[in-house]
Amino acid sequence: MSEKALYERWLENAREDRDLHEELAAIAGKDDEIFDRFYRELEFGTAGLRGVIGAGTNRMNIYTVRKATQGLASMLCESCEKPSVAIAYDSRIKADLFAKEAASVLAGNGIKVYLYAELMPTPALSYAVRELKCSAGIMVTASHNPAKYNGYKAYGADGCQLGTEQSERVLEFANQTDIFNGVKRADYDKALAEGLIEIIPEAVVQKFLDNVQAQSVRKGICERADLKVVYTPLNGAGNRCVRSILDRIGVKNVVVVPEQEKPDGNFTTCPFPNPEIREALQKGLDLCEKENPSILLATDPDCDRVGIAVNHSGSYVLLTGNEVGVLLTHYIATSRAELGTLPENPIVVKTIVTTSMVDAMGADLGVEVINILTGFKYIGEQIALLEEKGEQSRFLLGFEESYGYLSGTYVRDKDAVVASMLICEMTAYYKEQGMTLVDALGKLYEKYGVHKNLQSNFYCEGATGMQRMGELMSGLRANPPKEIAGLKVVSVADYDTSIKTVNGKEEAITLPQSNVLAYGLEGDIQVVIRPSGTEPKIKAYYMVKAATDEAAEEISKALIDAVTKMMGF
């Protein structure tokens, strides 16, 4: 069916949400606008469903949500005897509506639904799936994307995001479903009254927080250190759980950024609610100048990532996800060794685009470091493998460079609630020694060398964006670079073919296939290039090791310039 025909069909049928019908009426005769909304369908993949909110097959709306959820329901009815699903949502525009629509579709298929009564962090959803013994979970969120986006992540019974096979089956069923006539739905209020939809009780929230608190390493240290914290939930889902856990561990002096405390899907004061970027933290930094806390915490809208700024020598220093991960690894491993709570053969899990400094540190501290593909579900899989062997206690920490961390095995996704707790605890520990986290990081650099990790994003927007991304990756495979910024390429790892070539010799890569290219350069430097799984862009990661900050900065700048030219941007 042509884009024009699809538009006419939607104009006739999409009348349940007034916003959608008004949008469709407003674009009458505007071919470019119609094309952009209907040239493709939002596809259900391993990252779930994500897109711009609005009317059309290429938008997030009640109809695309229903269709995808019908696909999920059909997959569950095929594979489970009595399926059930837990659902949570964050502060995104229409997130509560999409959660209820998903619940209605599942109930219409005879599937029991457990729904949080208020917005909750992503890790609380992962926890509910396992605690309530559900077959699957849905988290309505677009994570840290701009306000115009929404989406949902789908989870399996293990609390991890759905794997490739299940996601593909969901997509198959969704593709067989007519978006207006093929979805089974129950009346939400009736299903709620009959118990087919059930509100998740407060006891589950408290058990989630109990499990978070159990990951505390040095109990009571925050209270002793009289820690002061400025916190911003960036108008998202973290406000309640983060403040609750900080109160539990004795952080009584928490000042919340007032403009960003309440849920607001428009993210008026932080258009990009991503704690990786300074602009998102600016309101918090402004408040820090007035309040003078030891640390600023900022969690993203679905509270699975946390960014920080450290009070150091009178100014606030932002630390990267890699730097915080390094600090947490060292703090947890050395503290537990000192306290006698370190398990035998401890393990830290990180992604292949995360700092190699952890590998050197792990070797020094007697901690095994496992490198996995990008995506926290792979960290969750490693926890599950340990659990199967009864060795889950070996897991100390999992983290990725994009500000996601998990300590403990109670969930299978990154958790900014537990990360906020441990960061505060770690801050208090160093405060007692007259040090900041910046001081502590400096000492680690003295021991293991200065490691600098940066990123470039190459955006490929619009209808031709996916094609361009494919062409760029194919071009790199056809003509691999022999040097980058004057540094010889000594190894090329293609995770799509599962082959690593080192000095002309091929080695097998044991990780799952993925569209990733990794270049090892002389001097223990790496460049990794991969398309984003959730946004129309290719990401380049630079992992640099040098003797000094200045040298690391110089190498990083040269690499960024060279790769930007190599990518044709």
Side-chain angles (χ1 to χ4, degrees):
M1 192 179 290
S2 70
E3 290 84 16
K4 180 70 173 174
L6 280 169
Y7 167 74
E8 294 294 345
R9 186 171 187 233
W10 275 65
L11 191 62
E12 181 182 346
N13 290 280
R15 293 178 177 272
E16 291 174 79
D17 185 332
R18 184 176 170 182
D19 293 343
L20 301 185
H21 199 261
E22 288 178 354
E23 181 182 338
L24 290 166
I27 62 170
K30 299 177 181 177
D31 291 347
D32 289 348
E33 296 280 3
I34 291 170
F35 179 77
D36 189 49
R37 285 163 175 78
F38 292 99
Y39 80 91
R40 70 176 188 124
E41 292 193 11
L42 284 185
E43 284 202 351
F44 190 98
T46 54
L49 200 68
R50 188 174 297 185
V52 173
I53 303 161
T57 57
N58 186 33
R59 294 287 188 269
M60 279 294 297
N61 52 66
I62 59 173
Y63 302 104
T64 52
V65 166
R66 288 173 184 173
K67 181 175 178 176
T69 307
Q70 181 60 55
L72 177 65
S74 298
M75 184 274 288
L76 291 173
C77 289
E78 174 187 68
S79 57
C80 305
E81 195 170 324
K82 289 184 178 178
S84 60
V85 178
I87 301 178
Y89 56 93
D90 67 8
S91 62
R92 292 264 161 193
I93 294 168
K94 295 186 184 287
D96 54 344
L97 173 63
F98 293 163
K100 286 184 176 181
E101 289 289 343
S104 297
V105 172
L106 293 166
N109 284 268
I111 295 172
K112 172 80 176 187
V113 178
Y114 297 94
L115 175 67
Y116 275 112
E118 59 184 300
L119 68 169
M120 276 286 153
T122 285
L125 182 278
S126 178
Y127 179 78
V129 168
R130 300 176 75 240
E131 174 66 18
L132 299 172
K133 297 180 171 54
C134 292
S135 317
I138 295 171
M139 179 69 201
V140 181
T141 179
S143 190
H144 56 284
N145 284 75
K148 66 180 180 179
Y149 286 87
N150 209 333
Y152 75 55
K153 304 174 187 174
Y155 289 75
D158 57 359
C160 281
Q161 286 188 51
L162 280 188
T164 303
E165 286 185 21
Q166 285 181 305
S167 297
E168 288 176 351
R169 193 66 178 137
V170 170
L171 182 59
E172 284 176 29
F173 278 119
N175 286 341
Q176 297 164 17
T177 302
D178 183 275
I179 199 164
F180 294 116
N181 304 319
V183 178
K184 300 174 187 175
R185 291 177 63 234
D187 178 86
Y188 176 84
D189 292 327
K190 186 179 178 185
L192 188 64
E194 292 175 351
L196 195 51
I197 298 173
E198 185 178 321
I199 299 301
I200 295 174
E202 175 63 21
V204 173
V205 181
Q206 294 305 317
K207 285 186 77 173
F208 166 67
L209 292 171
D210 291 343
N211 277 274
V212 172
Q213 190 174 0
Q215 311 314 313
S216 173
V217 177
R218 293 180 179 272
K219 293 170 177 54
I221 194 166
C222 289
E223 203 158 10
R224 288 201 312 270
D226 191 26
L227 203 64
K228 184 175 184 179
V229 175
V230 165
Y231 169 58
T232 172
L234 296 179
N235 302 114
N239 193 30
R240 181 189 171 190
C241 287
V242 171
R243 291 171 76 175
S244 294
I245 202 65
L246 295 187
D247 182 69
R248 281 185 178 213
I249 64 165
V251 183
K252 304 297 182 181
N253 195 352
V254 178
V255 183
V256 181
V257 177
E259 303 95 330
Q260 297 172 342
E261 178 178 4
K262 302 299 182 186
D264 177 8
N266 291 304
F267 307 114
T268 311
T269 62
C270 51
F272 295 92
N274 182 351
E276 295 181 59
I277 60 175
R278 186 181 187 91
E279 288 79 4
L281 276 64
Q282 193 57 55
K283 285 288 182 184
L285 291 167
D286 293 345
L287 188 58
C288 285
E289 295 299 326
K290 176 184 173 185
E291 296 290 343
N292 195 36
S294 295
I295 195 164
L296 164 69
L297 300 174
T299 54
D300 69 342
D302 67 323
C303 194
D304 62 352
R305 304 169 192 243
V306 58
I308 70 170
V310 178
N311 190 342
H312 179 74
S313 300
S315 63
Y316 285 85
V317 180
L318 275 64
L319 296 187
T320 68
N322 281 303
E323 290 167 341
V324 173
V326 163
L327 285 164
L328 284 172
T329 299
H330 188 266
Y331 169 72
I332 294 170
T334 56
S335 294
R336 292 188 63 179
E338 176 194 329
L339 297 168
T341 59
L342 190 68
E344 283 191 33
N345 306 314
I347 286 174
V348 167
V349 187
K350 71 175 185 68
T351 67
I352 58 173
V353 297
T354 299
T355 178
S356 58
M357 184 173 175
V358 175
D359 299 271
M361 186 186 298
D364 184 45
L365 298 176
V367 175
E368 180 183 353
V369 178
I370 297 176
N371 286 281
I372 47 86
L373 290 176
T374 306
F376 222 88
K377 66 183 176 184
Y378 296 114
I379 294 177
E381 286 176 4
Q382 291 297 320
I383 298 172
L385 291 172
L386 290 170
E387 200 169 56
E388 284 174 14
K389 297 185 288 187
E391 297 177 1
Q392 60 266 37
S393 64
R394 292 175 61 195
F395 178 76
L396 295 187
L397 181 72
F399 80 99
E400 56 188 10
E401 41 67 45
S402 55
Y403 294 58
Y405 319 92
L406 173 65
S407 181
T409 60
Y410 56 98
V411 296
R412 296 289 187 273
D413 210 338
K414 48 190 174 283
D415 182 2
V417 185
V418 78
S420 295
M421 179 189 77
L422 288 169
I423 288 166
C424 285
E425 194 176 285
M426 181 169 65
T427 302
Y429 169 70
Y430 285 115
K431 184 182 177 185
E432 284 194 338
Q433 300 178 54
M435 296 169 62
T436 69
L437 294 184
V438 176
D439 294 323
L441 187 63
K443 285 192 172 295
L444 293 177
Y445 283 155
E446 287 174 15
K447 187 168 187 178
Y448 300 108
V450 175
H451 287 68
K452 196 170 189 67
N453 298 265
L454 296 171
Q455 280 185 43
S456 293
N457 293 308
F458 303 103
Y459 285 90
C460 303
E461 307 253 16
T464 60
M466 296 300 290
Q467 180 183 341
R468 188 181 183 198
M469 287 165 68
E471 290 170 352
L472 285 168
M473 295 302 290
S474 296
L476 289 173
R477 289 189 166 93
N479 298 291
K482 292 184 168 51
E483 59 86 25
I484 300 176
L487 297 169
K488 183 182 176 184
V489 175
V490 296
S491 69
V492 178
D494 188 339
Y495 288 84
D496 196 38
T497 61
S498 301
I499 294 172
K500 182 177 182 179
T501 306
V502 184
N503 294 322
K505 295 181 180 179
E506 292 186 352
E507 303 173 359
I509 297 172
T510 57
L511 295 176
Q513 285 181 292
S514 185
N515 190 11
V516 179
L517 291 166
Y519 304 104
L521 312 182
E522 58 184 319
D524 198 15
I525 291 165
Q526 294 181 68
V527 175
V528 180
I529 296 175
R530 58 175 281 270
S532 169
T534 57
E535 297 176 78
K537 66 183 181 182
I538 291 178
K539 302 175 84 168
Y541 304 81
Y542 312 95
M543 286 166 268
V544 174
K545 180 182 176 183
T548 64
D549 281 327
E550 292 75 19
E553 185 72 37
E554 187 177 331
I555 295 168
S556 299
K557 186 177 184 305
L559 287 174
I560 291 171
D561 290 344
V563 171
T564 300
K565 288 176 186 171
M566 187 171 81
M567 298 294 286
F569 280 78

